[in-house]
């Protein structure tokens, strides 16, 4: 047990030493305007190199993740069918799906699903 502890401390020390050496060697102190600007065939760029962030796409992605997680929460309902009676299973399943549909309806009414304004 003591050997494992010594080896783990030694591994940690070597890792920290390598990280420190890497930071000391690769640190760039010169911030040059030409190096940090985007290259466009030797000319100054005509527009911003960054695209604007689409909030609509972000909202759609978040809603997809939420509904995806809720679908994964529905999978154990199949296993609980064997352990419970049919009436309680159907009641719980219908309540869960109704909550999902109410959330979808709310998002639809708020206009979060409209891509263009």
């Amino acid at each position: 047990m003591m050997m494992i502890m010594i080896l783990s401390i030694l591994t940690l020390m070597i890792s920290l030493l390598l990280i420190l050496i890497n930071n000391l060697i690769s640190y760039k102190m010169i911030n040059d305007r030409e190096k940090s600007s985007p290259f466009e065939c030797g000319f100054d760029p005509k527009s911003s190199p960054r695209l604007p962030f689409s909030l609509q796409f972000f909202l759609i992605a978040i809603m997809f993740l939420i509904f995806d997680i809720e679908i994964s929460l529905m999978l154990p309902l199949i296993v609980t069918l064997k352990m419970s009676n049919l009436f309680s299973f159907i009641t719980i399943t219908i309540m869960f799906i109704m909550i999902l549909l109410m959330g979808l309806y709310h998002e639809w009414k708020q206009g979060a699903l409209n891509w263009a304004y």
Side-chain angles (χ1 to χ4, degrees), residues 29-108:
M29 296 184 65
I30 301 171
N31 288 333
D32 190 15
R33 179 183 151 323
E34 294 296 325
K35 287 183 181 179
S36 63
S37 67
F39 181 72
E40 193 172 306
C41 299
F43 299 105
D44 287 332
K46 295 182 179 184
S47 64
S48 174
R50 307 261 187 250
L51 294 175
F53 183 72
S54 173
L55 188 60
Q56 288 295 114
F57 180 76
F58 178 73
L59 289 174
I60 295 291
I62 293 296
M63 282 191 296
F64 170 76
L65 287 175
I66 290 171
F67 281 104
D68 192 39
I69 290 171
E70 289 170 349
I71 293 298
S72 67
L73 289 174
M74 286 180 68
L75 289 176
L77 287 176
I78 299 169
V79 176
T80 60
L81 178 62
K82 294 178 184 177
M83 296 178 216
S84 64
N85 60 7
L86 188 61
F87 179 73
S88 66
F89 174 76
I90 291 174
T91 305
I92 291 172
T93 306
I94 288 175
M95 284 179 21
F96 189 77
I97 291 175
M98 287 303 293
I99 291 171
L100 287 178
L101 289 176
M102 286 188 312
L104 180 63
Y105 180 73
H106 176 71
E107 293 293 331
W108 191 359

Side-chain angles (χ1 to χ4, degrees), residues 1-14:
M1 186 66 173
M2 187 67 165
M3 187 67 164
I4 293 174
M5 193 166 134
I6 291 172
L7 285 175
S8 62
I9 291 173
L10 184 65
T11 305
L12 180 68
M13 294 298 282
I14 290 173

